[in-house]
Amino acid sequence: MNNNSNKQKINVPRPNLSWLYIIIAGIIAFLYITSDEGGISKEITYTEFKDMVKKGYADKIIAYDNNSVEMFIKPENIVDVFKKDAPKAGKSPSVRVQVGSMDSLDKFLDEEQKNGNFTGSVRYEKDNDYFGVIFWNLLPIIFFVGLWIFIMRRMGGAGNAGGAGNVFNVGKSKAQLFEKGANRVTFKDVAGQTAAKQEVQEIVEFLKQPQKYTELGGKIPKGALLVGPPGTGKTLLAKAVAGEADVPFFSMSGSDFVEMFVGVGASRVRDLFRQAKEKAPCIIFIDEIDAVGRARGKNPNMGGNDERENTLNQLLTEMDGFGTNSGVIILAATNRADILDKALLRAGRFDRQIHVDLPDLNERKDVFKVHIRPLKLDDSVDIDLLARQTPGFSGADIANVCNEAALIAARHNKSSVSKDDFMAAIDRIVGGLEKKTKVMTAAEKRAIALHEAGHATISWFLEYANPLIKVTIVPRGRALGAAWYLPEERQITTKEQMLDEMCATLGGRAAEELFIKQISTGAMNDLERVTKQAYGMIAYAGMSEKLPNLCYYNNDEYSFSKPYSEHTAELIDSEVKQLIAEQYSRAKEILTLHKEGHNKLAELLIEKEVIFAEDVEAIFGKRPWASRSEEIMAESQVENEVKSIENKEENSNNESEKNNENEKSND
Ligand code: ADP
Ligand code: ZN
């Protein structure tokens, strides 16, 4: 995130701790002063003491149980006792002496009283170590206050400004506020992401002219979810929405809500919404919402993270609580919408999902254009080449490349940044990225292209396969490439449709086997889907010849026994295997038949990274089932408006886990 903008801590009036210190110091001082009756005190010997009593200096005597005696001196004798210190003596100066035993002191004083030398009073008291008493009484309090301050500071976050003030700020949101007008980010600063921009454009309109929508009785959406890998510009896009609509922008990370103390997260959520309502219309941006929004535990007995759940519940309550038309719109970012709690995605909450993907070749060019604007370049720099050299880079990676290139040029005392500096910068960033497995080698890129072209080719030639919209080999989330189809809205599916779909899904692996002569984990997700589908067809839909019209669907989750015999189980297994094997060889046949076209398609993919239905048509000619596909072609022009599903391929489950971690740490 860009931190150098005009950020400003909210919660301006911070209660200060210093008054607490002052009160404590005051109490101590008060007790200290009242403990002494005023005046100096000096230590003397017992002999001197007896002498003074005999001379009649004693005013009153206090004997303590620790054998120490304090004798107050008569005012007229102060000079005799304290000599030159007398002026400093104060109201009631005293001398202190340590006596051997109280009995002998008693005897001595009785005698002197009888003699008339001592006319004052004698008082026996407990130990007079006031300061010690106070100290020992206060010590635990001081200790706990200290501990409390320490904990609260820790909770407030070490680097947080405000110091001791944080004690009273635990429950306050830590959101950064970007006031409107200042340092505006607009859509111009966000390169590429045309689809996402188009979708958030509507939110801008809502914020600018809410009455236009509310007058007609429409409800303004409360939230949208930006889904995409780190560094693709989700924060930037949210800021641009605020900038375009010219409204304030609150930014906070989901992890900021979560603290070790119960109730803190919920109160931060409350505080954030309270502040936002004051500033409405405005935008709240919650980065990494998965930190709070992860699906809640299903089983209450399993425990789970209560604090996180409280925070999530509070968030849901707040979202429901504020009026639809209050003018506060919440944008949240996540890398994984699939792990979010379903309640968050329900209507009236984050019911819109906007995909913010890694940029393709042309988009990368645009991102480069944005980020080389401030640099001084020489003629050797070719943006087209740079974009080609950076497959799999995110917007943030590209921003990084540009900055690194400038630094490298500066290090060599150049007056402008040249192509070589960019190449060195790319090498450096690739080195850093390698761990994230995002960057493809040329061979990988070719393999993915052949695989995706396999899906595309087969779906083109099968009547019932979903019509293709676009194919990309840009890594998307955890998927390596994707083919997008326009799913047909249908309530029932025929056997032919299912078989064609299976065949198209197997096309990726078939292409790998035929043209690379090497199969890879890239098809794992395809295989999983196909296997499940085949099992469903046979065990649930009764579509197999050997097990016709039987549905073994069991909706009792907790029953572990199968509703069929061992023999049937074997039959189901063999039927599933046979079904998949048939479709696989069908896929290979189709690919062999259209080998040239397939290879052309793959080459085109390698070059352009994204191809659309038109490109496929240019290679294979019109789709044999024209009428329907024509409709679709018309629609695919406005690709963003169609509801599309993607066909993801994952490396493997293990690897995707790893990827996910890496991406997190990258953020
Ligand atoms: P995210 O929130 O998705 O992790 P950010 O919005 O924080 O990513 O992006 C980090 C930086 O990367 C931005 O500040 C910007 O410099 C750069 N960046 C990312 N995507 C783009 C883009 N589409 N156009 C221009 N710059 C981008
Ligand atoms: Zn595939």
Side-chain angles (χ1 to χ4, degrees), residues 451-452 455 505 508-509 522-523 526 647-649:
H451 176 113
E452 295 301 331
H455 291 304
T505 312
R509 166 58 65 91
D526 292 343
N647 171 5
K648 282 189 186 174
E649 275 98 50

Side-chain angles (χ1 to χ4, degrees), residues 1-3 187-193 197 226-239 285 287-288 333-334 356-357 359 363 366-371 394-400 666-667:
M1 217 174 38
N2 190 357
N3 275 338
F187 285 156
K188 267 200 244 95
D189 301 299
V190 187
Q193 306 298 4
K197 273 198 253 180
L226 302 171
V227 186
T232 44
K234 296 182 292 298
T235 313
L236 194 68
L237 195 65
K239 255 187 222 167
F285 177 66
D287 205 358
E288 295 173 47
T334 178
V356 183
D357 290 329
E363 288 172 324
D366 294 337
V367 181
F368 265 112
K369 278 180 202 153
V370 169
H371 290 284
S394 69
D397 295 333
I398 291 175
N400 220 344
N666 163 40
D667 203 355

Side-chain angles (χ1 to χ4, degrees), residues 623-643:
R623 204 164 175 230
W625 297 274
S627 61
R628 227 186 99 221
S629 65
E630 243 159 35
E631 270 168 46
I632 281 107
M633 293 282 289
E635 264 173 295
S636 77
Q637 311 287 351
V638 261
E639 167 220 331
N640 305 314
E641 283 169 22
V642 294
K643 237 179 23 186

Side-chain angles (χ1 to χ4, degrees), residues 387-531:
R388 277 178 197 287
Q389 294 286 322
T390 48
F393 276 46
S394 69
D397 295 333
I398 291 175
N400 220 344
V401 166
C402 294
N403 189 47
E404 192 71 33
L407 295 183
I408 292 172
R411 208 171 297 146
H412 294 113
N413 299 319
K414 290 191 196 167
S415 58
S416 59
V417 190
S418 72
K419 181 182 145 196
D420 296 340
D421 302 322
F422 274 100
M423 290 302 157
I426 290 173
D427 284 348
R428 175 168 288 206
I429 307 271
V430 169
L433 287 180
E434 219 125 50
K435 283 176 246 106
K436 294 186 285 181
T437 64
K438 260 202 302 191
V439 180
M440 292 181 262
T441 63
E444 273 170 343
K445 195 171 170 179
R446 193 177 107 85
I448 297 168
L450 283 165
H451 176 113
E452 295 301 331
H455 291 304
T457 307
I458 291 175
S459 63
W460 195 260
F461 288 104
L462 289 180
E463 181 170 4
Y464 299 109
N466 282 325
L468 186 80
I469 295 162
K470 79 171 185 187
V471 189
T472 94
I473 56 167
V474 179
R476 178 171 204 274
R478 292 168 298 150
L480 290 177
W484 295 55
Y485 300 97
L486 180 74
E488 226 181 321
E489 306 243 342
R490 54 191 177 200
Q491 303 298 323
I492 51 169
T493 314
T494 63
K495 188 175 174 185
E496 286 71 27
Q497 286 165 342
M498 293 182 93
L499 292 178
D500 280 4
E501 256 166 52
M502 278 171 72
C503 182
T505 312
L506 286 166
R509 166 58 65 91
E512 284 177 27
E513 194 195 319
L514 284 175
F515 307 117
I516 315 175
K517 312 262 188 294
Q518 210 174 31
I519 54 177
S520 74
T521 53
M524 204 164 113
N525 188 250
D526 292 343
L527 300 184
E528 185 191 332
R529 284 181 8 161
V530 166
T531 311

Side-chain angles (χ1 to χ4, degrees), residues 137-176:
N137 279 326
L138 281 183
L139 190 70
I141 301 175
I142 293 170
F143 174 75
F144 282 115
V145 168
L147 190 70
W148 184 54
I149 291 170
F150 174 74
I151 291 170
M152 293 305 186
R153 277 203 185 160
R154 290 290 302 270
M155 286 174 67
N160 204 350
N166 282 337
V167 176
F168 299 96
N169 273 334
V170 212
K172 293 278 169 65
S173 80
K174 297 200 284 180
Q176 283 176 2

